[in-house]
Amino acid sequence: MGCFEALRLFVCSRFGQGTVPTTLDSFTKPISEYKELKIVIRATEASEEEMDRTARDGKLYQTIQPTPASHARALLSPVVEELRDLIENDPLIHQLFTRMFMDIPYHHPFDVDPSGNPQIRHFEALLRHLDDIIVRAPEFNTTVMMGFPINALLAFPMATSSGIVAFLHEKVNIQIKKILNTWAIFLNSPESRYVLNADPDIGWLGSKALALMPDFAVDYVCNPVAPHFGFCSFDDFFTRQLRDGVRPVDCPNDSTVVANACESTPYRLAHGVRAYDQFWMKDQCYSLADMLADDPLSPSFYGGTVYQAYLGCTNYHRWHSPVSGTIRTAYGKPGAYYAQCPNVGFDKSTPNASQAYLTQVATRAMIFIDADNSNIGLLCFMPIGIAECSSCEIRVSEGQRVEKGDEIGMFHFGGSTYCLVFRPQTKVQFRLEATKAGVDTSVLKVNTMLARVD
């Protein structure tokens, strides 16, 4: 333990039930003269002079958030109480959830989370925030965490070594799923519509939000003169449908054309993808066996092509078939909800920089389609949930016939990403905009031509 951490613990204990002072004036003598701190000083092998200097030079009182109130046990809803029980009764999980907050730096910019709120410093504070979030709908905002209130709380904790391990733990993800399911009940209720208003700053139908969703009333099924534009719930707004004739399918009768399956921005394009690769390393190489969860069909794609694109919170979130053909199989794969690539580090826009990594570990769905065009053959459409948005609703089943552009499912409650996976023998040529993956580019409309197969 270093001087700064010792001072932090001392101040949190001394000012546990009040506000942390902004200067040293609240102490009547040098901080190192306090008897209860002497033990801590000796434990750190630091001099008393160094302790005083650390307090002053480090601007201790301006940078730490005390955790007294957040350490107090609050009454929680049953589903959040279950998470508390898991944390407190599993020694490993308890250690990880304690350390992930302790390992966040205390200096700027880590004093606030990506939403601009004070960074929480203990899992009890996290539990209380979760308890509050699951009975509210997310307000619109212009931060990098638009629509992701839980992700904002966890952006820095999940980047620590303890956080990386904790959020890959099966028991943790099972409990997080229960919490997200409880929140989903509220977001599907009429009570969640209160954020569907015209407030220019926080309303999803306000001027700032609609500027990010141009031609909203023209493109989407809604009633602009009705309260909440006629949407029944926040989720009804989020999964809004396109009006008839909007986003027509490019070249519907040309089987060589692959349509864009989601309204999305290109992220990455990779050829010759290996069966197994070190996806957790800095380059986040795709590892097909891991992506496809060792499905019996996986070997068909080894050495093939992967195209990945992401959806923003204000994009259209329904999926459409990229080709005409028959559904070979379709199912969901449980996974992590708040995972981050170990090599990304602290990132205020997390998990954006981990999207390729998430294709292997996150909750996702897999829809294998036998295309009518034998030069395409079998392909896989794989929607991947990110953080709050991990509800991948599949709306097709084995043996079902689909035409290019048919709706096949949707995301719920947030941003997300998806992949198209092609076999190595499929000679696919992507449109220019799709090859600019990883570079600032425009959103590609759903059902427009994404690629052509020779």
Side-chain angles (χ1 to χ4, degrees):
M1 182 186 295
C3 291
F4 198 87
E5 177 66 8
L7 279 167
R8 185 190 71 81
L9 293 174
F10 171 69
V11 174
C12 287
S13 64
R14 186 171 183 82
F15 292 89
Q17 302 304 319
T19 302
V20 168
T22 56
T23 70
L24 292 175
D25 295 340
S26 297
F27 293 98
T28 58
K29 53 187 177 182
I31 193 170
S32 59
E33 292 185 18
Y34 284 86
K35 181 178 179 180
E36 61 266 46
L37 185 57
K38 295 238 181 226
I39 298 174
V40 180
I41 294 174
R42 286 195 290 272
T44 65
E45 298 183 354
S47 68
E48 297 179 3
E49 292 78 10
E50 184 180 2
M51 187 68 76
D52 285 328
R53 186 170 62 253
T54 301
R56 298 174 194 281
D57 295 345
K59 297 182 180 179
L60 173 72
Y61 304 108
Q62 295 177 354
T63 59
I64 72 166
Q65 179 193 356
T67 52
S70 59
H71 281 231
R73 292 179 65 86
L75 293 175
L76 302 172
S77 59
V79 69
V80 180
E81 183 65 40
E82 286 183 31
L83 178 58
R84 174 193 272 163
D85 290 342
L86 175 64
I87 294 172
E88 293 183 340
N89 294 317
D90 186 302
L92 173 60
I93 295 176
H94 192 190
Q95 174 188 341
L96 294 172
F97 269 80
T98 300
R99 290 297 313 181
M100 74 170 70
F101 292 102
M102 294 177 64
D103 291 344
I104 304 170
Y106 284 88
H107 57 77
H108 185 75
F110 304 104
D111 51 340
V112 295
D113 67 28
S115 291
N117 298 313
Q119 176 60 52
I120 60 175
R121 297 287 175 176
H122 194 272
F123 67 78
E124 278 290 345
L126 170 65
L127 295 173
R128 285 215 308 278
H129 279 287
L130 291 176
D131 208 50
D132 183 60
I133 287 171
I134 61 176
V135 292
R136 297 176 181 271
E139 296 177 338
F140 172 80
N141 63 67
T142 56
T143 72
V144 294
M145 289 294 163
M146 180 201 310
F148 287 87
I150 299 176
N151 199 71
L153 294 174
L154 296 175
F156 293 150
M158 66 193 272
T160 65
S161 58
S162 295
I164 289 168
V165 175
F167 290 111
L168 290 176
H169 198 293
E170 183 179 9
K171 290 181 180 179
V172 172
N173 283 297
I174 289 173
Q175 196 56 47
I176 289 175
K177 179 60 175 174
K178 291 182 180 180
I179 291 172
L180 294 178
N181 284 344
T182 300
W183 193 25
I185 294 172
F186 177 79
L187 295 178
N188 273 297
S189 72
E191 288 76 18
S192 66
R193 293 180 299 177
Y194 70 92
V195 295
L196 305 181
N197 61 63
D199 186 291
D201 295 315
I202 61 174
W204 287 95
L205 301 175
S207 56
K208 290 182 179 179
L210 291 179
L212 300 175
M213 299 178 285
D215 301 319
F216 187 94
V218 174
D219 289 348
Y220 298 110
V221 176
C222 63
N223 182 358
V225 300
H228 316 295
F229 274 33
F231 292 110
C232 301
S233 65
F234 179 82
D235 185 57
D236 187 34
F237 159 78
F238 186 81
T239 60
R240 55 193 175 272
Q241 300 181 62
L242 292 168
R243 293 188 185 274
D244 291 341
V246 175
R247 307 294 192 272
V249 179
D250 280 354
C251 308
N253 299 317
D254 186 345
S255 65
T256 68
V257 171
V258 178
N260 191 29
C262 296
E263 195 120 328
S264 52
T265 303
Y267 181 75
R268 183 179 287 189
L269 178 62
H271 301 285
V273 179
R274 297 176 180 175
Y276 295 93
D277 214 326
Q278 296 180 341
F279 61 86
W280 57 90
M281 301 301 286
K282 183 177 181 181
D283 292 339
Q284 298 182 43
C285 297
Y286 296 116
S287 178
L288 282 169
D290 295 298
M291 289 177 67
L292 301 176
D294 288 318
D295 186 280
L297 297 173
S298 298
S300 301
F301 298 96
Y302 295 167
T305 298
V306 174
Y307 169 76
Q308 184 174 4
Y310 64 91
L311 293 74
C313 199
T314 55
N315 290 143
Y316 172 68
H317 274 78
R318 292 177 181 245
W319 324 326
H320 292 253
S321 180
V323 296
S324 295
T326 303
I327 303 299
R328 175 85 68 93
T329 186
Y331 60 92
K333 168 64 178 175
Y337 296 95
Y338 294 95
Q340 176 177 303
C341 181
N343 285 283
V344 168
F346 293 109
D347 176 15
K348 282 202 169 187
S349 63
T350 193
N352 287 353
S354 298
Q355 289 190 54
Y357 169 80
L358 292 175
T359 64
Q360 280 85 197
V361 302
T363 296
R364 55 201 185 277
M366 282 166 274
I367 301 178
F368 294 90
I369 307 173
D370 283 308
D372 289 345
N373 186 334
S374 60
N375 289 333
I376 299 175
L378 184 67
L379 66 80
C380 182
F381 168 76
M382 187 171 73
I384 302 132
I386 294 180
E388 277 87 323
C389 182
S390 294
S391 296
C392 298
E393 181 185 349
I394 300 170
R395 308 195 90 179
V396 290
S397 57
E398 182 178 340
Q400 181 176 335
R401 171 75 188 175
V402 292
E403 301 298 329
K404 183 163 53 179
D406 284 353
E407 183 184 314
I408 57 176
M410 70 187 78
F411 290 113
H412 293 266
F413 317 130
S416 36
T417 187
Y418 88 96
C419 291
L420 285 180
V421 187
F422 297 88
R423 301 177 305 155
Q425 58 266 48
T426 302
K427 307 305 178 184
V428 57
Q429 301 295 323
F430 287 84
R431 61 188 280 192
L432 179 62
E433 295 87 345
T435 64
K436 295 180 179 179
V439 179
D440 289 338
T441 186
S442 300
V443 173
L444 304 184
K445 302 294 187 182
V446 68
N447 291 332
T448 57
M449 185 179 76
L450 178 68
R452 186 180 291 273
V453 175
D454 295 337

